[in-house]
């Protein structure tokens, strides 16, 4: 009978022969082609990622410009109110708000039986219409 020689190293039995993966005989040209293809795909992914980031930056820049314009509009409204003028845009908002509040109040009055005269907390639109529209008063309001 043939016996297999086994060595004991560090408490473990070591079998003779090579361990791990045996090196496969890979065609060098095929390996280079796979490497080139992988590099092409990597460059394409990188290009797509940069395009996505550029679009994201441009959309955020457009949003910033829109917000700056809106801020400038609000600043002009505040300056006009400090001079004692109510901008037409605010009047339109207030009349729309008043109509909406009137409808809500009539529904509340029908349910609760309360009158608006008993209300001790004036609305923002009433506050503006009474002529107390300086920016300092609005901040304190």
């Amino acid at each position: 009978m043939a016996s297999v020689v086994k060595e004991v190293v560090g408490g473990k039995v070591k079998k003779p022969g090579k361990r791990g993966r045996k090196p496969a005989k890979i065609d060098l040209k095929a390996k280079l082609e796979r490497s080139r293809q992988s590099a092409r795909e990597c460059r394409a992914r990188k290009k797509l990622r940069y395009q996505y980031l550029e679009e994201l930056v441009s959309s955020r820049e457009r949003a910033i410009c829109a917000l700056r314009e809106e801020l400038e509009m609000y600043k002009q409204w505040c300056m006009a109110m400090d001079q004692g003028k109510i901008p037409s845009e605010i009047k339109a908002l207030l009349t729309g708000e008043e109509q909406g509040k009137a409808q809500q109040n009539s529904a509340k009055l029908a349910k609760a039986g309360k009158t608006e005269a008993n209300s001790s907390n004036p609305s923002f639109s009433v506050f503006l219409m009474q002529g107390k529209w300086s920016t300092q008063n609005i901040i304190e309001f």
Side-chain angles (χ1 to χ4, degrees):
M1 249 193 190
S3 65
V4 178
V5 179
K6 297 181 180 179
E7 296 179 29
V8 178
V9 178
K12 295 183 180 180
V13 177
K14 185 178 179 184
K15 297 179 183 177
K18 295 183 178 180
R19 294 185 58 192
R21 254 178 109 173
K22 295 181 182 177
K25 295 181 181 179
I26 300 174
D27 186 23
L28 187 59
K29 289 183 180 180
K31 185 176 179 180
L32 286 174
E33 184 56 36
R34 279 199 313 271
S35 177
R36 289 183 190 117
Q37 181 63 28
S38 176
R40 278 191 291 269
E41 291 171 359
C42 180
R43 286 190 295 270
R45 284 192 304 270
K46 184 177 179 181
K47 184 178 179 180
L48 285 173
R49 185 172 53 249
Y50 274 89
Q51 285 175 350
Y52 166 74
L53 291 173
E54 286 173 356
E55 290 172 5
L56 189 63
V57 167
S58 66
S59 70
R60 298 282 166 90
E61 286 174 346
R62 286 191 303 270
I64 288 170
C65 288
L67 289 171
R68 283 190 178 141
E69 289 174 5
E70 186 177 353
L71 178 63
E72 187 60 34
M73 177 185 66
Y74 291 142
K75 285 180 182 179
Q76 290 174 357
W77 287 5
C78 287
M79 287 189 298
M81 287 190 293
D82 284 341
Q83 294 172 359
K85 302 172 186 173
I86 299 178
S88 60
E89 295 90 351
I90 292 181
K91 286 182 182 178
L93 287 173
L94 292 177
T95 56
E97 184 179 299
E98 288 297 320
Q99 290 173 357
K101 283 187 179 181
Q103 291 172 355
Q104 289 175 356
N105 285 341
S106 64
K108 286 181 184 178
L109 288 175
K111 284 186 177 180
K114 294 181 180 179
T115 61
E116 192 173 280
N118 294 338
S119 175
S120 62
N121 188 10
S123 68
F124 182 72
S125 58
V126 171
F127 183 77
L128 286 175
M129 297 303 274
Q130 291 174 349
K132 301 176 183 176
W133 51 69
S134 74
T135 52
Q136 185 62 35
N137 288 342
I138 292 172
I139 292 170
E140 292 171 357
F141 180 68

